[in-house]
Amino acid sequence: MPAIVLIGAQWGDEGKGKATDLLGSRVDYVVKFNGGNNAGHTVVVGDEKYALHLLPSGILSPGVTPVIANGVVVDVEVLFEELDALSERGVDVSRLKVSLNAHVITAYHRTLDKVTERFLGKRQIGTTGRGIGPAYADKINRVGIRVQDLFDENILRQKVEGALDQKNHMLVKVYNRRAIEAEEIVTELLSYAERLRPMVTDTALLLHQALNDGKTVLFEGGQATMLDVDHGTYPFVTSSNATSGGAVTGSGIAPNRIDRVIAVVKAYTTRVGSGPFPTELFDESGEYLRANGFEFGTTTGRPRRCGWYDAPIARYTARINGVTDFVLTKLDVLTGLAEIPVCVAYSVDGVRVDEVPVSQSDFHHAVPIYENFPGWTEDITGVRTFDELPQAAQDYVLALESMSGSRISAIGVGPDREAIVVRHDLID
Ligand code: GDP
Ligand code: IMO
Ligand code: MG
């Protein structure tokens, strides 16, 4: 029975939220397995626009059970705010389940995120400032606070005191900030316990049983392959595994249960924050993509860096994640361009390289080798079958498919829920 992983193919904001929402009515569980409220997913349903951060996008589909699994870092205050905002708009959020093993983002993680970024100066990552990196660092350092700790006051106090011991020395002596009182943190975290209690459970067991019962489970990745802490453009990455492997460790579901891996890929490329980006545009074409694609961050509002489609990155994503299907989004944004360049390989210090180089210096030096494709001018936002697309748009999609290492099963032609061309069913 289907366990489907859906991940981002590039540097995030590919339209994962919309793709999850598209499948939402046909799945029983949607699981967030990595990241936290650094994610920003915009889903448009009719006249309504939803911005989701910590909650999986599947929450908008009636009947779906949304799950925040162990691999996520949870800012509980943000969680409650997001739940309240959705409830006020009539979304049923009562089925949400949260893992007892998920880690908690506290005020000191948010503070550390901001001060360490400032300290890095021009080497800064450009994080979302939500405390994601410091919370994962504590997890790996074994001084993290988990959701289950909120239900045991003594343990919570010991752990918060332990976590703050070293941090307060750093904050005061290195970063010139005031020390954080353990008791303030403990009081705040304890105040969440009562509301959280009915939502928490052993989500790994829940999902295991759901799969045994023949339910359909969709694992929705936050961020994307090139932001993955192991496989992305380190150190300009997020602090979790955003690739399909992260769905396994981040949920407690074994790898041999995964049936399908869907990667969402934009018909061009964007990136928020610092780090290498070979096809980045600094001219009016970049402005065109930013304006037409409305490329401004859902979480921080920052303008996204824009560039052409990078086929070596798509092939890399196909390989690292075991992609079975691509969902190609935002094809409509390219409408009106006379020519559309696609990066087919790189030149690294004068040598042609066909795959993403593993050496960071080589990737920094990678200059795209482009192939140009003819554009189209017809409005495609109303198109619902592949054959209705203008010939040049069809040719563009087929060219990307032949270069990207897996089939393109669906094509986004507008922000709306309905604006999609399906070529192959993504679930059966
Ligand atoms: P996510 O983080 O991967 O979920 O993506 P975001 O929501 O941050 O960014 C994707 C943006 O593109 C959102 O504003 C979506 O509404 C929008 N979008 C998604 N698919 C399409 C599409 O096919 N065409 C257009 N024009 N917009 C799309
Ligand atoms: P979705 O799920 C785009 C980027 C940040 C920064 C780096 C590290 O909407 O695709 P962090 O706060 O995670 O420590 O920041 O990662 N980043 C994203 N970029 N989309 C996202 O999520 C992102 N989440 C983090 O801009 O460069
Ligand atoms: Mg986003």
Side-chain angles (χ1 to χ4, degrees):
M1 274 301 134
I4 303 162
V5 178
L6 184 144
I7 48 102
Q10 296 151 322
W11 279 283
D13 305 323
E14 295 90 351
K16 299 177 290 294
K18 180 187 155 181
T20 301
D21 177 64
L22 172 78
L23 300 174
S25 60
R26 296 171 63 197
V27 305
D28 301 298
Y29 292 81
V30 176
V31 184
K32 184 175 169 91
F33 61 81
N34 77 303
N37 56 318
N38 49 347
H41 309 298
T42 303
V43 181
V44 182
V45 185
D47 294 336
E48 296 284 318
K49 192 169 170 175
Y50 298 90
L52 298 158
H53 299 283
L54 186 50
L55 293 169
S57 311
I59 200 154
L60 298 177
S61 301
V64 167
T65 299
V67 176
I68 294 180
N70 58 279
V72 175
V73 284
V74 182
D75 188 322
V76 186
E77 195 181 355
V78 171
L79 175 69
F80 291 165
E81 279 169 13
E82 224 173 304
L83 288 172
D84 289 341
L86 287 177
S87 298
E88 272 168 33
R89 296 175 71 178
V91 177
D92 176 12
V93 296
S94 63
R95 280 182 310 276
L96 177 71
K97 294 290 169 219
V98 179
S99 168
L100 282 160
N101 282 345
H103 279 248
V104 174
I105 299 179
T106 67
Y108 51 82
H109 297 121
R110 289 189 298 268
T111 301
L112 281 167
D113 197 352
K114 284 172 191 143
V115 294
T116 48
E117 276 284 275
R118 220 168 293 148
F119 210 71
L120 282 170
K122 63 179 177 20
R123 288 178 297 121
Q124 68 175 219
I125 315 288
T127 73
T128 58
R130 303 296 192 260
I132 306 293
Y136 277 117
D138 276 5
K139 172 177 174 174
I140 302 302
N141 275 333
R142 295 163 294 190
V143 291
I145 310 294
R146 293 189 296 175
V147 166
Q148 58 181 281
D149 299 327
L150 272 49
F151 304 106
D152 187 327
E153 184 171 344
N154 283 337
I155 287 195
L156 180 66
R157 185 164 290 110
Q158 281 174 34
K159 289 192 174 179
V160 171
E161 282 171 358
L164 277 174
D165 232 12
Q166 195 195 17
K167 287 185 184 66
N168 274 336
H169 285 294
M170 289 287 285
L171 280 171
V172 173
K173 293 179 188 151
V174 179
Y175 296 119
N176 207 17
R177 303 278 296 220
R178 74 169 180 90
I180 293 173
E181 288 288 334
E183 216 39 51
E184 268 174 44
I185 303 289
V186 171
T187 307
E188 184 190 338
L189 294 180
L190 285 175
S191 75
Y192 300 140
E194 195 187 341
R195 183 166 177 198
L196 208 50
R197 195 180 295 275
M199 303 176 203
V200 300
T201 191
D202 178 350
T203 53
L205 180 61
L206 175 81
L207 295 170
H208 178 83
Q209 284 167 344
L211 286 171
N212 284 352
D213 290 344
K215 304 288 186 203
T216 300
V217 180
L218 178 65
F219 296 88
E220 178 192 347
Q223 294 76 53
T225 303
M226 300 309 279
L227 287 172
D228 180 281
V229 67
D230 283 275
H231 302 290
T233 49
Y234 190 90
F236 300 102
V237 292
T238 191
S239 301
S240 68
N241 285 115
T243 43
S244 59
V248 170
T249 53
S251 74
I253 287 302
N256 57 355
R257 303 213 69 166
I258 308 287
D259 302 286
R260 201 103 180 235
V261 180
I262 300 169
V264 185
V265 67
K266 243 179 241 196
Y268 50 96
T269 313
T270 64
R271 172 162 208 175
V272 195
S274 321
F277 178 1
T279 64
E280 183 170 13
L281 293 162
F282 299 97
D283 57 9
E284 62 279 11
S285 304
E287 281 303 330
Y288 184 91
L289 295 174
R290 190 172 305 112
N292 270 17
F294 198 68
E295 297 296 355
F296 297 89
T298 310
T299 300
T300 56
R302 289 178 287 180
R304 295 174 181 152
R305 299 158 65 191
C306 296
W308 300 122
Y309 189 85
D310 187 322
I313 285 181
R315 280 199 296 278
Y316 179 75
T317 282
R319 167 159 60 90
I320 294 286
N321 296 288
V323 172
T324 56
D325 304 80
F326 278 111
V327 173
L328 182 73
T329 58
K330 303 191 107 166
L331 186 65
D332 54 300
V333 174
L334 302 178
T335 300
L337 290 166
E339 269 198 331
I340 310 169
V342 171
C343 168
V344 296
Y346 310 116
S347 168
V348 179
D349 302 328
V351 178
R352 182 183 164 114
V353 174
D354 287 299
E355 302 303 328
V356 170
V358 71
S359 145
Q360 60 179 356
S361 317
D362 287 353
F363 195 63
H364 272 274
H365 294 175
V367 177
I369 298 173
Y370 286 114
E371 202 175 306
N372 286 320
F373 292 85
W376 59 91
T377 52
E378 300 90 329
D379 177 6
I380 61 169
T381 53
V383 168
R384 296 292 175 266
T385 63
F386 190 69
D387 296 341
E388 284 173 76
L389 284 171
Q391 192 58 48
Q394 291 188 26
D395 292 344
Y396 181 73
V397 173
L398 294 176
L400 297 193
E401 182 168 60
S402 72
M403 290 179 220
S404 300
S406 189
R407 64 183 187 177
I408 293 175
S409 296
I411 303 156
V413 291
D416 207 72
R417 200 180 230 182
E418 322 296 324
I420 193 119
V421 171
V422 178
R423 297 175 73 207
H424 306 284
D425 193 340
L426 290 164
I427 291 192
D428 285 330

